[in-house]
Amino acid sequence: MNAKLLLVFLFLSALACRKSEALQADGVFQRNLIFSSAKEAKDQIEAYLHEHYPTEKLYSVGNISYIHTSTRTMAIVFYQTNTGEHNMLFEKNDSNTESISNRVTVCEGSSCNCKVTAVIDNRGNVTIDCNCSSCAMISTEL
């Protein structure tokens, strides 16, 4: 009886491994993350703020939300500074066909608490914009 159970277990394990390999071949598990840790995210945000907004002091990093497409990986990072709550979009090109490899996008303005937004349509296309029409979207290549 134990030998039959062991044989069934090995068979099911082999099937599970093949399914996992098939998914990896399709790119399901082969998604690149932009940050390897929360510390790396914090360091990159601090570096960006130091260069572009020297009066901003980073207090904390909240959520990091990832969006994956067939050619890009995006991370919207929510953080708090001495001026309030903000977010920025880090974008990494996963394809060799586009010329832009890495980019950071922020929204800024004075009449609204400007934030980057991402809308994903039913075809998987991602549109990046600002939450208020009075905000300016600023993209910087890294």
Side-chain angles (χ1 to χ4, degrees):
M1 180 83 163
N2 286 339
K4 287 182 182 180
L5 262 134
L6 181 61
L7 189 59
V8 168
F9 175 74
L10 290 174
F11 177 73
L12 291 175
S13 296
L15 285 177
C17 288
R18 288 190 184 144
K19 176 76 171 173
S20 176
E21 289 169 6
L23 289 174
Q24 284 182 340
D26 290 339
V28 173
F29 291 128
Q30 296 176 351
R31 298 295 185 189
N32 296 325
L33 295 180
I34 293 176
F35 309 110
S36 61
S37 67
K39 181 181 179 340
E40 183 183 355
K42 184 178 180 188
D43 291 345
Q44 286 193 29
I45 293 168
E46 282 180 329
Y48 182 85
L49 292 175
H50 180 71
E51 183 177 341
H52 298 280
Y53 303 95
T55 60
E56 294 270 341
K57 169 79 173 125
L58 181 63
Y59 291 153
S60 64
V61 175
N63 280 337
I64 301 173
S65 297
Y66 279 94
I67 302 169
H68 299 283
T69 70
S70 61
T71 60
R72 298 182 293 168
T73 299
M74 293 167 269
I76 299 178
V77 182
F78 299 87
Y79 61 95
Q80 175 124 15
T81 70
N82 55 310
T83 62
E85 294 182 356
H86 307 280
N87 73 357
M88 68 176 58
L89 175 98
F90 287 83
E91 188 174 348
K92 180 179 178 184
N93 181 9
D94 295 334
S95 168
N96 294 332
T97 59
E98 293 182 33
S99 61
I100 298 172
S101 58
N102 295 313
R103 177 174 36 205
V104 175
T105 301
V106 297
C107 290
E108 65 178 37
S110 58
S111 63
C112 169
N113 185 13
C114 298
K115 300 222 170 141
V116 177
T117 62
V119 176
I120 306 169
D121 69 15
N122 59 355
R123 290 183 163 190
N125 299 315
V126 180
T127 303
I128 305 301
D129 206 352
C130 296
N131 62 330
C132 299
S133 61
S134 62
C135 300
M137 185 167 31
I138 301 166
S139 294
T140 305
E141 288 185 46
L142 300 176

